[in-house]
C-alpha cells in the first residue's frame, strides 16, 4: 500500500492512496479462509468446499468488502501515524473509476486537519466574581410577592363597583345567534378581572358591575380558537353577578410560612435568602463566564478549519433568519447567505469550541451517565405526557445526545478553568448585577 502526500497548505491535506491488486487478493483469500469452515455447498461436506470454488462463488462480493476495509485501514493508519485529526468527515474518492479485477485501487483522500492548540496558562487568567447578598429589603420584597400570590378576597361594601383585580362571582350563559352553546354556561363562577382567563374583551366589560346586577357581555371568539365551531363567531354572555370581592393580601406571619412548607416565618425568610443568593450566584456565573470566554478568545491564536467556520456561519445565519421570520416554521425558504458579521461570530465560536475541547481533554473532563440522564429528564419534562417517547428518541439519536452533552461538557470545562484561574470576589448590589446581565443580553 502506498500513501503519497498531494496537498499540505495551512490545515488542508491531500493524499493519494494506492492499494495493490496483490493486497486486495490476499485480503479476499483471508476472508475466504475465515469463512470456509462454515460454508455448505451441494456435493461437499461442510467446511470442505474447495477454495477455488469459494472464490468463484463469493470472490466478487468479498472484493468490495476488501476494498473498503483496505481503504479504511489505510486512513486509520495514516491518522495514527500523522497525529492529524480531521475537522469534518474526510472526502474519499476513487480515482480509477474504470477499475477491473486485477487492477490496483487508487483513492484520493482530502480533509482539513484540526489545528494544534497552544498551551494556556490558566493561572494567568484573572476573573472577577460578582457577589450579591440577599438583604432584608430583597427578602421582604419576595415575602410581599408570596403574600400577594396567597391573597384571599373579601366582600366589597354593598353597592360597590367591581374594579380591575377584583373577584366577581356570577352565573353566565353564552349564546350565538340567540342559541346557547355547549360549554358556554356556568353557575357560581369566580372570575378575577384582569386575569385574562376568559375570551379577550370579556373581563373588561365587567369592570364597574355591582352585586345583583345583570350584564350582557358581547365578545367574538378568536379566529384560531381551539373549538372550530366557535372560532371567529360573535357571542353574547348573559351574566348575573352575585358577589363583588376585593383582593386582600395574606398577612406575613407564621401562618403564611406554613402555606409554603416552612415551620415558621423565620425559617421561610432563611429559605428565601438562600434561594435568592443561589439565583444571584447563577446570574453572576453567567457574567463571569462571558468575561472568561472573552479572555480565552484573545489568549491564544491558531488557524481555524475553513469548513467548520463556514458551517457554523451558515447555522448562525439560518437561526437568526428564523428568529426574524417566526412565521416560517419549516425550512422551505430561500437559502440564507451568511454575512461578514455571521462569519466573525462563527470564528469566535469555533475558536472557543476547539480551545475548550482541548482544555477539557487535557483535564480529563467527562460528562457522567448520571449527568446525562438528568439533562435528558429535564428536557423530557417539557413534553408532558410524552416523556417516555422523548427519552427513547434521545437514546436512538446520537446527534440529539451530542446536543445535550455539549453544554454539560462546556460548563464542566469552565468550572475547571475557574478553579485554576485567579478569581477575585466583588460584592455588588442586586441592581449592579442586573445591569451586568442586561449588558450580556444586549451584546
Amino acid at each position: 500500500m502506498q500513501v503519497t502526500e498531494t496537498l499540505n497548505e495551512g490545515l488542508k491535506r491531500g493524499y493519494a492512496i494506492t492499494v495493490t491488486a496483490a493486497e486486495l487478493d490476499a485480503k479476499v483469500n483471508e476472508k475466504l479462509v475465515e469463512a470456509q469452515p462454515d460454508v455448505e455447498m451441494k456435493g461437499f461436506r461442510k467446511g470442505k468446499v474447495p477454495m477455488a470454488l469459494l472464490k468463484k462463488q463469493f470472490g466478487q462480493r468479498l472484493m468490495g468488502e476488501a476494498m473498503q476495509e483496505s481503504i479504511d485501514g489505510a486512513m486509520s493508519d495514516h491518522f495514527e501515524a500523522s497525529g492529524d485529526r480531521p475537522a469534518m468527515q474526510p472526502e474519499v474518492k476513487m480515482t480509477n473509476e474504470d477499475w477491473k479485477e486485477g487492477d490496483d485501487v487508487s483513492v484520493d483522500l482530502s480533509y482539513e486537519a484540526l489545528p494544534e492548540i497552544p498551551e494556556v496558562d490558566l493561572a494567568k487568567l484573572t476573573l472577577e466574581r460578582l457577589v450579591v447578598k440577599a438583604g432584608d429589603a430583597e427578602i421582604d420584597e419576595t415575602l410581599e410577592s408570596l403574600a400577594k400570590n396567597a391573597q384571599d378576597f373579601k366582600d366589597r361594601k354593598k353597592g360597590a363597583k367591581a374594579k380591575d383585580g377584583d373577584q366577581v362571582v356570577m352565573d353566565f350563559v353564552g349564546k350565538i345567534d340567540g342559541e346557547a352553546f355547549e360549554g358556554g354556561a356556568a353557575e357560581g363562577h369566580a372570575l378575577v378581572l384582569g386575569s385574562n382567563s376568559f375570551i379577550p374583551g370579556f373581563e373588561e366589560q365587567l369592570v364597574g358591575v355591582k352585586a345583583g346586577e345583570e350584564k350582557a357581555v358581547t365578545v367574538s371568539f378568536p379566529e384560531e380558537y381551539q373549538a372550530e365551531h366557535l372560532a371567529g363567531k360573535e357571542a353574547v354572555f348573559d351574566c348575573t353577578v352575585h358577589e363583588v370581592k376585593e383582593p386582600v393580601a395574606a398577612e406575613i406571619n407564621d401562618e403564611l410560612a406554613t402555606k409554603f412548607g416552612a415551620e415558621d416565618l423565620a425559617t421561610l425568610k432563611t429559605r428565601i435568602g438562600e434561594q435568592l443568593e443561589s439565583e444571584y450566584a447563577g446570574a453572576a456565573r453567567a457574567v463571569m463566564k462571558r468575561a472568561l470566554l472573552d479572555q480565552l478568545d484573545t489568549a491564544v491564536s491558531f488557524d481555524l478549519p475553513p469548513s467548520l467556520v463556514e458551517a457554523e456561519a451558515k447555522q448562525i445565519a439560518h437561526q437568526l433568519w428564523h428568529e426574524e421570520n417566526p412565521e416560517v416554521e419549516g425550512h422551505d425558504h430561500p437559502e440564507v447567505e451568511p454575512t461578514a458579521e455571521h462569519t466573525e461570530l462563527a470564528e469566535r465560536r469555533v475558536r472557543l469550541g476547539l480551545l475548550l475541547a482541548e482544555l477539557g481533554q487535557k483535564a480529563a473532563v467527562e460528562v457522567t451517565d448520571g449527568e446525562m440522564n438528568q439533562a435528558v429528564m429535564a428536557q423530557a419534562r417539557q413534553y408532558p405526557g410524552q416523556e417516555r417517547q422523548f427519552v427513547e428518541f434521545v437514546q436512538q439519536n446520537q446527534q440529539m445526545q451530542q446536543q445535550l452533552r455539549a453544554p454539560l461538557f462546556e460548563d464542566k470545562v469552565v468550572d475547571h478553568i475557574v478553579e485554576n484561574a485567579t478569581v477575585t470576589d466583588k460584592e455588588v448590589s442586586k441592581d449592579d448585577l442586573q445591569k451586568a446581565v442586561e449588558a450580556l443580553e444586549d451584546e
Side-chain angles (χ1 to χ4, degrees):
M1 186 179 300
Q2 298 174 349
V3 179
T4 306
E5 185 177 78
T6 58
L7 177 64
N8 190 333
E9 295 178 1
L11 297 175
K12 294 182 178 181
R13 302 287 185 270
Y15 295 89
I17 299 175
T18 301
V19 182
T20 67
E23 288 174 301
L24 287 174
D25 191 58
K27 186 169 281 290
V28 169
N29 288 334
E30 180 183 320
K31 287 179 170 293
L32 290 172
V33 170
E34 183 181 342
Q36 187 180 34
D38 299 318
V39 175
E40 295 184 54
M41 190 177 292
K42 189 175 181 180
F44 300 94
R45 285 180 296 161
K46 182 179 180 181
K48 298 299 182 180
V49 181
M51 189 62 65
L53 190 56
L54 285 177
K55 193 166 188 177
K56 182 179 179 181
Q57 182 78 10
F58 303 109
Q60 194 169 21
R61 177 171 63 83
L62 292 178
M63 180 62 75
E65 294 180 10
M67 280 186 189
Q68 189 63 56
E69 289 180 10
S70 296
I71 295 168
D72 289 345
M75 289 171 56
S76 179
D77 291 345
H78 163 70
F79 288 127
E80 184 175 351
S82 67
D84 280 353
R85 293 177 296 162
M88 299 184 75
Q89 184 67 27
E91 184 178 345
V92 181
K93 183 179 180 182
M94 189 169 173
T95 55
N96 53 338
E97 297 178 359
D98 57 348
W99 179 90
K100 60 184 180 299
E101 191 169 348
D103 290 347
D104 296 343
V105 175
S106 298
V107 170
D108 278 349
L109 167 66
S110 60
Y111 61 90
E112 289 175 3
L114 288 175
E116 289 291 328
I117 310 295
E119 291 284 341
V120 178
D121 188 349
L122 301 183
K124 290 185 178 180
L125 297 174
T126 57
L127 299 170
E128 188 175 71
R129 178 164 43 212
L130 304 181
V131 178
V132 179
K133 299 294 184 182
D136 292 340
E138 289 79 20
I139 293 174
D140 289 343
E141 182 182 345
T142 303
L143 278 172
E144 289 172 7
S145 177
L146 293 178
K148 185 177 181 181
N149 290 335
Q151 69 182 7
D152 202 352
F153 293 90
K154 70 174 184 179
D155 289 333
R156 282 196 175 276
K157 292 180 181 179
K158 188 175 180 179
K161 295 181 179 181
K163 299 178 181 180
D164 195 38
D166 284 355
Q167 184 187 73
V168 174
V169 181
M170 62 181 177
D171 302 337
F172 62 82
V173 177
K175 298 177 182 178
I176 294 178
D177 297 330
E179 296 290 332
F181 58 87
E182 185 179 354
E187 294 182 356
H189 184 82
L191 173 64
V192 177
L193 304 185
S195 64
N196 297 319
S197 55
F198 264 43
I199 305 166
F202 187 100
E203 296 169 23
E204 292 87 338
Q205 296 181 53
L206 292 175
V207 173
V209 299
K210 304 175 184 177
E213 183 179 341
E214 294 185 353
K215 174 83 172 182
V217 176
T218 303
V219 292
S220 293
F221 284 94
E223 293 290 344
E224 65 278 5
Y225 195 68
Q226 57 186 3
E228 293 183 5
H229 66 290
L230 301 177
K233 293 186 177 179
E234 184 179 87
V236 177
F237 288 83
D238 295 326
C239 305
T240 301
V241 179
H242 298 300
E243 300 173 74
V244 173
K245 300 184 175 185
E246 63 179 328
V248 180
E251 291 188 28
I252 298 176
N253 52 25
D254 290 342
E255 184 179 349
L256 174 67
T258 58
K259 288 183 178 180
F260 289 95
E263 296 178 4
D264 51 34
L265 184 58
T267 304
L268 179 59
K269 285 186 174 182
T270 300
R271 289 185 182 177
I272 290 173
E274 292 172 349
Q275 178 63 32
L276 287 175
E277 291 189 0
S278 175
E279 293 174 3
Y280 298 153
R285 185 185 188 281
V287 173
M288 184 174 64
K289 179 180 177 180
R290 173 61 66 85
L292 169 61
L293 294 179
D294 288 344
Q295 283 194 50
L296 290 176
D297 189 34
T298 58
V300 293
S301 177
F302 51 88
D303 292 336
L304 302 178
S307 58
L308 286 184
V309 174
E310 182 181 357
E312 185 67 25
K314 286 183 177 180
Q315 183 176 343
I316 292 170
H318 190 262
Q319 179 182 345
L320 292 177
W321 188 91
H322 273 283
E323 290 177 5
E324 295 169 0
N325 300 271
E327 71 281 358
V328 181
E329 296 183 0
H331 302 289
D332 185 17
H333 55 74
E335 186 175 352
V336 183
E337 289 295 331
T339 65
E341 186 178 359
H342 297 148
T343 300
E344 183 179 354
L345 178 56
E347 289 174 348
R348 172 186 166 95
R349 288 188 181 180
V350 170
R351 184 182 302 109
L352 288 172
L354 293 175
L355 179 54
L356 290 175
E358 181 76 5
L359 292 172
Q361 183 179 9
K362 288 182 177 178
V365 173
E366 291 185 355
V367 177
T368 66
D369 291 342
E371 290 166 338
M372 269 297 291
N373 289 337
Q374 288 181 5
V376 171
M377 294 310 300
Q379 286 286 322
R381 283 192 286 271
Q382 297 182 20
Y383 304 92
Q386 297 180 310
E387 292 88 347
R388 183 173 60 82
Q389 293 93 320
F390 179 82
V391 172
E392 291 176 351
F393 168 73
V394 173
Q395 290 173 342
Q396 298 167 10
N397 191 307
Q398 290 288 337
Q399 184 177 359
M400 189 64 184
Q401 290 176 30
Q402 182 57 29
Q403 288 179 6
L404 293 174
R405 187 183 301 275
L408 297 177
F409 177 80
E410 180 178 296
D411 279 343
K412 295 188 76 169
V413 175
V414 167
D415 288 340
H416 164 73
I417 297 171
V418 171
E419 288 173 6
N420 291 274
T422 302
V423 181
T424 304
D425 287 344
K426 179 182 179 182
E427 193 164 330
V428 298
S429 68
K430 183 182 74 171
D431 290 340
D432 289 336
L433 176 60
Q434 181 63 33
K435 289 178 183 177
V437 172
E438 289 173 354
L440 294 185
E441 295 171 351
D442 291 340
E443 291 183 7

